[in-house]
Amino acid sequence: MTDSPIPSTGPDPRVPDPDDYVASPCTRVCRIDARSGLCAGCQRTLEEITLWGGMTPDQRRAVLTSLPERRKARRTLTRWRHGSQPGM
């Protein structure tokens, strides 16, 4: 019996790269707004929340990229509903 090393074929593609980890934007305020279909806390859709665990890092980053604009639109709509003019 020899102690020769087992040849490596590179990283196991089934194991996520810890340097490519994309954290969930969940804020633990889980309430879907009936009008917008977005979570009041993280601004994701129910589908995005459901699929998050199976998304690739690039897919997660694409969702995260859309969240600031969703938050801005939600703030504008909330102000408008409460009598303020949009953009003020």
Side-chain angles (χ1 to χ4, degrees), residues 11-83:
D12 186 338
R14 297 169 295 174
V15 178
D17 179 354
D19 293 332
D20 205 19
Y21 176 74
V22 180
S24 169
C26 182
T27 62
R28 306 286 188 246
V29 179
C30 305
R31 190 174 57 247
I32 302 297
D33 179 77
R35 290 183 183 178
S36 69
L38 300 175
C39 174
C42 68
Q43 303 302 302
R44 290 180 293 168
T45 65
L46 191 54
E47 181 179 31
E48 290 166 342
I49 294 167
T50 302
L51 296 176
W52 187 263
M55 287 181 175
T56 65
D58 286 338
Q59 290 170 322
R60 290 179 178 191
R61 280 189 279 278
V63 171
L64 291 177
T65 299
S66 69
L67 300 183
E69 187 61 34
R70 292 178 189 180
R71 284 187 189 96
K72 181 179 174 185
R74 184 164 193 256
R75 282 192 304 268
T76 300
L77 182 58
T78 301
R79 281 190 217 114
W80 180 80
R81 285 181 186 160
H82 294 287

